[in-house]
């Protein structure tokens, strides 16, 4: 049954219907996926097109190569022909005839086949790069003639890869542009000369020279004759114009880049034995001033400043400074002290001293940055020739910097120095001016030098051996170079010991013979017992806990320390404890807290201002970031306090005021000065310009904190040994600078020379370094004419180095 049915179906099979069915199926398939068929066709057409272009390209190259090889074979045949011809004409003995014959043969060769070779070379050199440039994109696809089309799509075209490599090469090699321009010029002259030789009548050498003239001067091609020669000449001239335009562009860019690098401070400083300052702050002006004075004796020096500011901005700020640099050159460079490349740019390894300034940021941030700078300096491969002087903001961070930097680090803690100095000046009026004279290079300063001729002498004899200096210490060689201030008078100078003196300059003093003196007898002056004092601190400093500890060491028992500021009383104790102060350890002073604003008169009137022995006006922590604001606040507080004090004076002590008083009477100023006789006020001034406002009226003493710190930095930069001296003089223990009444050393109206007063002071274990007369305002340190006798009065005072309290 099955076979019958199948047989019947075969009998009913219609070929036409089967063909229609198959055609219909094919049509439906085409309708279902028209995109696939079209994409397949496009791929096939692109493949055949690419293959045809590639084959045509290689065919052209092959034809040109065959032409070149045929020309080369032809040249070889002609050379062989010339050699055979020369052998056949040996019977000609005349050398001139042989030269003429050879020149005819060579002229024939050069005039015909030589020009053809030149023409083919030029055509091949022009056509080949053009074809390669046009069909570069198809070259990578030859790798995959039968491969996957997906890989062909992902393959980066060769043209892009070559362009990328060229771009990288030009960016990595600064001279690549110049070399490319030089290569282009050589190729233009060479191929231009071949083209002129092929189209004209000039010899090859003359044609190359003519091509150079067309490149160098665009007007030299006007005398050419012939269409082909003129076309070649114009082409060479156009190429020469393009080359010279590119050359001018490169030269202009190079000059602009050089000027820009000079303007921005990118060039390297080629100096040695210079002072390098890292960072920028308000202290830089006074620091440069002190370094300029220090270098004056040697005709000037070089100071290099590296900061994260624009070079033009730094130079403009330095140009506004109102002082003479006295031959010292200041070079500014823009960069970061944390980058070794920038440090190398300023020759850090050849500097005789490096000064790292604290920034105007938060205390911890500033010290952290200084620490990173010291770590960077340790990474200098060449090493450091000189020492490093760092300005620290917090005394607690000093040991970290010394731990990292080692023996080359000398630290100056700015706030600690100023805080101790303000306390010393408050307890001893006039000491601020003395420190200003000693720390600066304008007057007398510290120097250390060895004098072999003094070996074997005791220190008392050494003390009167320098007419132009005052010895005040010894650097003991056998004690590892330790500096001993105010040593015992019977100390014998040993070999290698050095003398610490206060002198005008390092070359202005020398030992001389011992003078004949008659010092007489020291007065039997009994130092009176100190009475309890009452001190007021206006403002809050971040190191106020250290100041309290110094006052604890200086003040006698039962003294009072009043603290007047805007910090809430509930927070003060916690801040003092965080700073390391244990209030229960205070034995000599009692803390009294008052809360208020020091620039508001109503708040100040609540204080017993007329009862204080000393008043310290601090640069408050809240405004220390702005020196103008801080000084304005300090000046306003000073004037308010003096006015309140003058109004609280007894009526008989007041100067009567009158509306009809002449302006020259200055009644208000006289009242202020009279109030200043009752108590001492020390103001912390940050800007030296504010000093004039305070000093003119003479109603207060002042401490120029920024300028004094700059002086200390400059002095330590010149000689790092001086830092040991300053540390002891500023400390609450050991030797200190002090002001002594004349009753300590002389009788009233006694005639003595300065040497004789120094001898009397040695009986008390002190060293007198200067004096201030009763009718003068400034002290004289290291006075001249020390053997000249004069009459002294009880109103005179002396400046001495003595053991502390």
């Amino acid at each position: 049954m099955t076979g019958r049915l199948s047989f019947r179906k075969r009998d009913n099979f219609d070929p036409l219907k089967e063909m229609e069915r198959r055609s219909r199926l094919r049509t439906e398939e085409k309708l279902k996926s028209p995109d696939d068929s079209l994409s397949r066709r496009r791929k096939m057409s692109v493949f055949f097109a690419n293959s045809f272009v590639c084959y045509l390209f290689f065919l052209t190259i092959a034809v040109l190569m065959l032409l070149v090889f045929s020309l080369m074979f032809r040249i070889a045949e002609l050379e062989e022909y010339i050699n055979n011809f020369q052998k056949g004409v040996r019977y000609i003995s005349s050398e001139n005839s042989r030269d003429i014959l050879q020149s005819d043969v060579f002229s024939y060769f050069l005039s015909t086949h030589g020009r053809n070779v030149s023409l083919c070379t030029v055509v091949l050199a022009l056509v080949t790069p053009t074809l390669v440039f046009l069909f570069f994109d198809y070259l990578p696809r030859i790798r995959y003639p039968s491969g996957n089309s997906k890989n062909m799509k992902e393959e980066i075209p060769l043209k892009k890869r070559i362009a990328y490599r060229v771009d990288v090469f030009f960016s990595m090699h600064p001279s690549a542009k110049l070399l490319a321009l030089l290569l282009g010029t050589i190729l233009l002259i060479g191929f231009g000369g071949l083209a002129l030789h092929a189209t004209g009548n000039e010899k090859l050498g003359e044609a190359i020279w003519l091509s150079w003239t067309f490149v160098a001067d665009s007007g030299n091609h006007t005398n050419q004759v012939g269409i082909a020669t003129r076309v070649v000449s114009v082409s060479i001239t156009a190429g020469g114009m393009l080359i010279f335009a590119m050359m001018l562009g490169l030269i202009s860019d190079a000059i602009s880049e050089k000027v820009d690098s000079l303007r921005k401070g990118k060039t390297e400083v080629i100096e040695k034995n210079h002072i390098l300052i890292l960072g920028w702050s308000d202290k830089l002006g006074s620091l440069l001033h002190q370094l300029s004075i220090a270098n004056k004796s040697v005709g000037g020096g070089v100071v290099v400043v590296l900061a994260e500011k624009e070079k033009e901005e730094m130079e403009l700020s330095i140009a506004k400074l109102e002082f003479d640099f006295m031959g010292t050159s200041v070079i500014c460079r823009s960069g970061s002290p944390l980058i070794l490349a920038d440090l190398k740019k300023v020759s850090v390894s050849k500097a005789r001293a490096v000064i790292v300034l604290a920034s105007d940021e938060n205390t911890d941030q500033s010290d952290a940055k200084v620490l990173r700078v010291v770590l960077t300096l340790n990474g200098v491969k060449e090493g450091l020739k000189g020492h490093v002087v760092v300005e620290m903001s917090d005394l607690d961070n000093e040991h970290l910097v010394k731990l990292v930097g080692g023996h080359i680090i000398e630290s100056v803690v700015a706030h600690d120095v100023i805080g101790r100095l303000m306390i010393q000046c408050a307890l001893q009026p006039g000491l601020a001016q003395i420190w200003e004279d000693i720390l600066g290079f304008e007057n007398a300063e510290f120097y250390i030098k060895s004098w072999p001729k003094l070996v074997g002498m005791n220190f008392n004899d050494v003390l009167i051996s320098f007419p132009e200096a005052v010895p005040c210490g010894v650097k003991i060689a056998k004690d590892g170079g330790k500096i001993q201030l105010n040593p015992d008078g019977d100390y014998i100078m040993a070999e290698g010991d050095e003398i610490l003196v206060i002198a005008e300059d390092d070359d202005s003093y020398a030992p001389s013979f011992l003078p004949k003196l008659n010092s007489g007898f020291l007065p039997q002056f009994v130092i009176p017992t100190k009475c309890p004092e009452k001190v007021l601190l206006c403002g809050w400093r971040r190191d106020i806990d250290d100041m309290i500890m110094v006052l604890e060491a200086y003040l006698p028992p039962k003294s009072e320390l009043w603290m007047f500021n805007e910090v809430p009383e509930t927070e003060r104790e916690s801040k003092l404890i965080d700073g390391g102060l244990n209030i229960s350890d205070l034995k000599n002073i009692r803390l009294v807290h008052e809360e208020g604003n020091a620039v508001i008169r109503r708040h100040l009137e609540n204080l017993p201002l007329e009862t204080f022995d000393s008043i310290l006006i601090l640069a408050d922590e809240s405004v220390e970031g702005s020196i103008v604001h801080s000084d304005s606040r300090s000046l306003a507080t000073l004037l308010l306090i003096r006015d309140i004090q003058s109004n609280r004076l007894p009526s008989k002590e007041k100067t009567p005021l009158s509306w009809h008083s002449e302006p020259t009477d200055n009644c208000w100023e006289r009242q202020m000065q009279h109030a200043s006789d009752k108590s001492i006020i020390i103001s912390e001034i940050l800007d030296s310009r504010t000093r004039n406002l305070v000093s003119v009226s003479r109603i207060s003493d002042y401490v120029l904190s920024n300028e004094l710190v700059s002086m200390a930095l400059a002095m330590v930069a010149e000689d790092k040994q001086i830092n040991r001296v300053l540390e002891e003089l500023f400390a609450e223990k050991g030797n200190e600078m002090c002001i002594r009444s004349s009753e300590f050393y002389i009788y009233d109206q006694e005639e003595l020379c300065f040497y004789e007063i120094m001898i009397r002071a040695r009986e008390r274990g002190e060293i007198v370094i200067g004096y201030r007369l009763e009718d003068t305002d400034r002290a004289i340190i290291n006075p001249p004419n020390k053997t000249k006798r004069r009459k002294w009065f009880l109103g005179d005072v002396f400046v001495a180095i003595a053991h502390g309290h």
Side-chain angles (χ1 to χ4, degrees):
M1 188 67 182
T2 304
R4 289 179 181 180
L5 288 174
S6 63
F7 179 78
R8 288 177 182 178
K9 287 181 179 179
R10 288 178 181 174
D11 291 342
N12 295 331
F13 178 76
D14 190 353
L16 295 175
K17 291 182 179 181
E18 183 67 20
M19 293 178 62
E20 291 177 358
R21 186 179 65 82
R22 293 180 178 179
S23 176
R24 187 171 60 254
L25 291 174
R26 285 194 298 268
T27 305
E28 290 177 358
E29 290 178 358
K30 292 180 180 179
L31 291 175
K32 288 180 180 178
S33 57
D35 296 336
D36 294 342
S37 61
L38 289 176
S39 62
R40 192 181 299 112
R41 289 179 182 178
R42 290 174 181 172
K43 290 178 182 178
M44 294 298 294
S45 61
V46 170
F47 175 75
F48 286 114
N50 292 342
S51 301
F52 175 75
V53 170
C54 292
Y55 295 151
L56 180 60
F57 173 75
F58 284 111
L59 181 61
T60 304
I61 296 295
V63 171
L64 292 175
M65 294 299 295
L66 290 174
L67 180 59
V68 171
F69 284 128
S70 65
L71 292 174
M72 291 175 61
F73 286 128
R74 181 60 178 166
I75 292 173
E77 292 177 357
L78 289 174
E79 289 180 349
E80 185 178 1
Y81 172 76
I82 291 171
N83 291 331
N84 295 333
F85 184 78
Q86 288 177 352
K87 293 177 181 179
V89 294
R90 287 180 180 176
Y91 63 91
I92 302 176
S93 60
S94 175
E95 187 175 352
N96 294 332
S97 300
R98 185 181 300 113
D99 294 337
I100 293 172
L101 186 58
Q102 290 178 358
S103 62
D104 291 340
V105 174
F106 280 109
S107 63
Y108 170 76
F109 167 72
L110 293 175
S111 61
T112 56
H113 300 284
R115 297 183 189 281
N116 294 333
V117 171
S118 299
L119 182 60
C120 292
T121 304
V122 173
V123 172
L124 184 63
L126 294 177
V127 171
T128 302
T130 303
L131 292 176
V132 171
F133 179 77
L134 291 175
F135 302 107
F136 240 1
D137 292 339
Y138 303 108
L139 294 179
R141 301 184 183 183
I142 300 175
R143 296 183 182 179
Y144 313 99
S146 60
N148 192 357
S149 60
K150 184 178 181 180
N151 293 335
M152 294 173 62
K153 290 181 179 179
E154 294 178 355
E155 181 70 20
I156 300 175
L158 183 60
K159 183 189 295 185
K160 290 186 178 180
R161 282 183 284 166
I162 294 178
Y164 171 72
R165 295 299 178 186
V166 172
D167 184 32
V168 171
F169 178 76
F170 274 89
S171 62
M172 293 180 61
H173 299 81
S175 60
K177 295 181 180 179
L178 184 61
L179 293 176
L181 184 62
L182 178 61
L183 179 61
T185 304
I186 294 174
L187 292 176
L188 178 61
I189 294 173
F191 286 111
L194 290 175
L196 287 176
H197 176 62
T199 58
N201 298 322
E202 291 82 3
K203 295 181 180 180
L204 182 59
E206 292 295 329
I208 293 176
W209 173 255
L210 191 62
S211 175
W212 156 248
T213 60
F214 292 166
V215 171
D217 190 355
S218 59
N220 284 342
H221 68 281
T222 56
N223 296 327
Q224 297 301 309
V225 179
I227 296 177
T229 306
R230 288 179 176 177
V231 170
V232 172
S233 302
V234 171
S235 302
I236 298 173
T237 302
M241 295 172 64
L242 179 62
I243 285 175
F244 271 91
M246 295 172 60
M247 185 180 298
L248 290 176
L250 288 177
I251 294 174
S252 177
D253 291 343
I255 294 176
S256 299
E257 184 178 355
K258 187 64 177 178
V259 173
D260 187 62
S261 65
L262 292 174
R263 181 176 60 85
K264 293 184 178 181
K266 296 180 179 179
T267 57
E268 184 177 357
V269 176
I270 305 177
E271 295 287 347
K272 60 181 180 179
N273 294 326
H274 58 285
I275 298 288
L276 175 60
I277 301 176
L278 302 179
W280 186 278
S281 70
D282 297 327
K283 306 178 185 66
L284 183 65
S286 55
L287 179 59
L288 292 175
H289 187 202
Q290 294 301 320
L291 293 175
S292 300
I293 298 173
N295 293 329
K296 180 181 178 181
S297 60
V298 294
V302 178
V303 179
V304 182
V305 180
L306 177 67
E308 297 180 13
K309 299 183 70 174
E310 294 294 333
K311 177 174 178 289
E312 293 179 335
E313 183 181 356
M314 290 189 286
E315 291 177 343
L316 183 61
S317 301
I318 294 174
K320 293 180 180 179
L321 299 176
E322 300 176 354
F323 57 81
D324 183 16
F325 287 100
M326 292 167 281
T328 297
S329 302
V330 180
I331 302 173
C332 297
R333 287 294 180 267
S334 179
S336 174
L338 301 175
I339 301 176
L340 283 174
D342 291 342
L343 291 176
K344 184 178 179 181
K345 182 174 63 177
V346 292
S347 300
V348 63
S349 60
K350 299 178 182 178
R352 61 186 173 94
V354 180
I355 302 176
V356 183
L357 294 179
S359 60
D360 298 329
E361 302 171 313
N362 177 271
T363 304
D364 294 332
Q365 293 178 354
S366 175
D367 288 349
K369 186 174 182 179
V370 170
L371 181 62
R372 292 197 301 269
V373 172
V374 173
L375 286 172
T376 307
L377 292 172
N378 286 339
V380 178
K381 295 182 180 180
E382 296 83 0
L384 299 178
K385 176 183 177 182
H387 59 284
V388 180
V389 184
V390 297
E391 178 195 357
M392 303 296 298
S393 299
D394 194 345
L395 183 63
D396 297 332
N397 300 326
E398 184 181 17
H399 70 283
L400 293 176
V401 175
K402 289 187 175 181
L403 181 64
V404 171
H407 66 281
I408 66 170
I409 297 296
E410 296 294 336
S411 60
V412 176
V413 185
H415 271 67
D416 180 65
V417 169
I418 297 303
R420 296 172 186 273
L421 186 58
M422 288 190 67
I423 292 174
Q424 292 182 9
C425 296
L427 301 179
Q428 302 183 75
L431 194 60
Q433 176 257 318
I434 296 170
W435 270 116
E436 188 175 339
D437 290 343
I438 292 179
L439 287 178
F441 286 97
E442 288 181 308
N443 300 300
E445 55 270 358
F446 291 106
Y447 293 101
I448 300 178
K449 190 182 292 187
S450 175
W451 300 98
K453 62 185 300 184
L454 300 179
V455 174
M457 295 178 59
N458 59 40
F459 185 76
N460 282 340
D461 291 338
V462 172
L463 197 64
I464 57 176
S465 298
F466 292 88
E468 296 86 11
V470 177
C472 51
V474 178
K475 181 181 178 182
I476 304 174
K478 64 180 181 180
D479 198 10
K482 180 182 178 181
I483 298 177
Q484 177 65 52
L485 272 173
N486 188 18
D488 295 334
D490 56 356
Y491 175 80
I492 304 300
M493 298 294 298
E495 187 176 355
D497 289 350
E498 299 181 35
I499 305 296
L500 171 68
V501 303
I502 296 178
E504 184 71 22
D505 208 342
D506 58 349
D507 57 353
S508 64
Y509 69 98
S512 182
F513 56 89
L514 294 178
K516 295 181 179 181
L517 303 172
N518 183 16
S519 61
F521 299 98
L522 182 70
Q524 298 299 321
F525 177 74
V526 179
I527 301 177
T529 305
K530 288 185 177 182
C531 299
E533 296 191 24
K534 198 173 182 180
V535 180
L536 172 64
L537 290 181
C538 289
W540 185 277
R541 287 165 54 105
R542 54 177 173 265
D543 62 338
I544 198 168
D545 53 309
D546 296 326
M547 296 183 66
I548 294 175
M549 293 302 298
V550 175
L551 284 169
E552 168 71 14
Y554 276 104
L555 295 178
K558 298 183 180 182
S559 297
E560 291 184 358
L561 176 61
W562 289 54
M563 301 180 65
F564 178 71
N565 49 70
E566 296 182 82
V567 178
E569 294 185 24
T570 56
E571 299 179 8
R572 295 182 187 179
E573 185 174 354
S574 60
K575 285 191 173 185
L576 293 176
I577 293 175
D578 292 341
L581 175 65
N582 189 356
I583 299 178
S584 61
D585 293 339
L586 300 178
K587 305 300 181 183
N588 296 333
I589 60 177
R590 181 176 67 91
L591 296 182
V592 179
H593 295 282
E594 292 289 340
E595 184 176 346
N597 193 334
V599 295
I600 299 178
R601 186 184 184 94
R602 176 172 49 86
H603 293 176
L604 289 171
E605 287 179 341
N606 295 329
L607 301 174
L609 298 177
E610 70 280 4
T611 63
F612 292 107
D613 299 293
S614 303
I615 299 176
L616 283 77
I617 302 176
L618 310 177
D620 199 270
E621 184 180 21
S622 60
V623 294
E624 64 180 0
S626 173
I627 60 174
V628 176
H629 191 185
S630 178
D631 285 357
S632 300
R633 186 182 179 92
S634 299
L635 187 59
T637 303
L638 167 65
L639 296 176
L640 287 173
I641 291 175
R642 282 306 188 203
D643 187 47
I644 295 173
Q645 286 180 336
S646 63
N647 291 334
R648 292 180 179 179
L649 289 174
S651 57
K652 62 180 180 179
E653 297 182 5
K654 291 185 179 180
T655 302
L657 297 175
S658 174
W659 291 103
H660 303 287
S661 300
E662 295 295 330
T664 55
D665 288 346
N666 293 327
C667 299
W668 174 82
E669 184 177 335
R670 286 201 299 271
Q671 287 187 4
M672 291 284 196
Q673 293 175 4
H674 189 65
S676 65
D677 296 335
K678 302 299 180 181
S679 64
I680 301 169
I681 296 183
I682 300 295
S683 304
E684 181 181 2
I685 302 300
L686 302 180
D687 192 352
S688 60
R689 292 171 294 185
T690 313
R691 169 177 52 185
N692 300 328
L693 301 177
V694 179
S695 60
V696 167
S697 60
R698 292 185 293 180
I699 59 177
S700 168
D701 212 338
Y702 58 89
V703 172
L704 281 171
S705 59
N706 281 352
E707 189 162 348
L708 288 175
V709 171
S710 301
M711 291 176 179
L713 290 172
M715 184 168 290
V716 178
E718 291 294 330
D719 189 354
K720 66 178 183 179
Q721 304 174 100
I722 304 300
N723 200 23
R724 306 283 84 78
V725 179
L726 299 180
E727 287 177 350
E728 181 174 350
L729 291 176
F730 286 134
E732 65 271 15
K733 296 181 180 180
N735 290 279
E736 64 177 2
M737 198 84 66
C738 58
I739 295 179
R740 295 297 195 197
S741 171
S742 59
E743 297 174 329
F744 273 68
Y745 313 119
I746 63 171
Y747 298 97
D748 188 22
Q749 300 186 19
E750 186 177 8
E751 288 191 3
L752 295 170
C753 69
F754 188 75
Y755 272 146
E756 293 169 342
I757 296 176
M758 293 177 68
I759 294 175
R760 287 188 178 184
R762 288 305 297 164
E763 296 182 29
R764 294 185 178 273
E766 301 174 354
I767 299 176
V768 175
I769 63 173
Y771 60 86
R772 187 185 68 192
L773 300 179
E774 183 179 11
D775 55 350
T776 58
D777 296 328
R778 297 189 67 86
I780 300 176
I781 306 299
N782 182 30
N785 301 325
K786 296 180 177 61
T787 56
K788 183 179 179 181
R789 303 175 69 87
R790 65 179 313 276
K791 184 180 293 187
W792 303 92
F793 299 91
L794 294 181
D796 302 333
V797 295
F798 294 92
V799 183
I801 296 177
H803 290 285
H805 303 276

